[in-house]
Amino acid sequence: MSTFALEHTMDTLITRLWPTTDASRALRTMVLIAVGSVLLAASAQIAVPLWPVPVTGQTFAVLLIGMAFGARLGMLTMLAYLLEGALGLPVFASASGGIAPLLGPTGGYLAGFVLAAGVTGWLAEHGWGRNPFSTAAAMLLGNLSIYVPGLLWLSTFMHYNVQATLAAGLYPFMLGDLAKLLLATAAMPLAWRLLGGAQR
């Protein structure tokens, strides 16, 4: 199994931009987790305050971090961000923090960030994201990884009413997510082209 993974794993944007030795890998990990957490916190403040789930720029940041960092580092960044919020730092939407956002209607989406970073990161490690088609497909799968736990958790606050859940937790975000998908579809292949690594 490990041989298969090694044979099929490719560079991510970060490993191409910042190659490391064994001695410096821990430093890169800590720096990128810190930078990624700041980007996530900043993107959370780009928000339209809808109820029960605000529209923010976070999903775009989550998916790009996953694809740029890879699965392991992307997931660690999401976990660090959620831990910062749980400890009370004002990193969630509307500069909020604490346990309440994790246990409230948005909790499933926040948990989905970890899954989405893992999915998009794994896909990036296997060559996705280097052309518009594979980028769009990866972003779509990443979005699904956020929406599935998000909607399932939100439904518990909507008395398991499917229409009410979709009306509150899916429909308001679809146009914005399409715009983010199109932006990422242009941005990721362009970044790889600038690095001379576009393929597939």
Side-chain angles (χ1 to χ4, degrees), residues 184-197:
T185 296
M188 287 297 297
L190 176 61
W192 275 111
R193 193 170 296 114
L194 292 174
L195 290 173

Side-chain angles (χ1 to χ4, degrees), residues 166-184:
L166 295 177
L170 176 63
Y171 300 148
F173 308 102
M174 293 178 68
L175 187 59
D177 283 341
L178 177 60
K180 296 171 197 175
L181 187 148
L182 293 174
L183 183 59

Side-chain angles (χ1 to χ4, degrees), residues 116-187:
V119 169
T120 55
W122 186 89
L123 293 173
E125 291 166 356
H126 291 76
W128 294 47
R130 303 191 182 203
N131 64 52
F133 177 78
S134 66
T135 301
M139 292 293 168
L140 180 59
L141 291 171
N143 268 309
L144 288 173
S145 300
I146 295 172
Y147 275 119
V148 170
L151 291 170
L152 288 174
W153 181 251
L154 179 61
S155 71
T156 66
F157 295 86
M158 297 294 177
H159 308 289
Y160 301 99
N161 184 309
V162 174
Q163 285 303 319
T165 299
L166 295 177
L170 176 63
Y171 300 148
F173 308 102
M174 293 178 68
L175 187 59
D177 283 341
L178 177 60
K180 296 171 197 175
L181 187 148
L182 293 174
L183 183 59
T185 296

Side-chain angles (χ1 to χ4, degrees), residues 76-112:
L76 286 174
T77 302
M78 300 305 140
L79 289 170
Y81 168 73
L82 296 179
L83 178 60
E84 291 163 10
L87 291 174
L89 295 179
V91 296
F92 297 141
S94 302
S96 61
I99 295 295
L102 295 170
L103 299 180
T106 61
Y109 297 95
L110 292 170

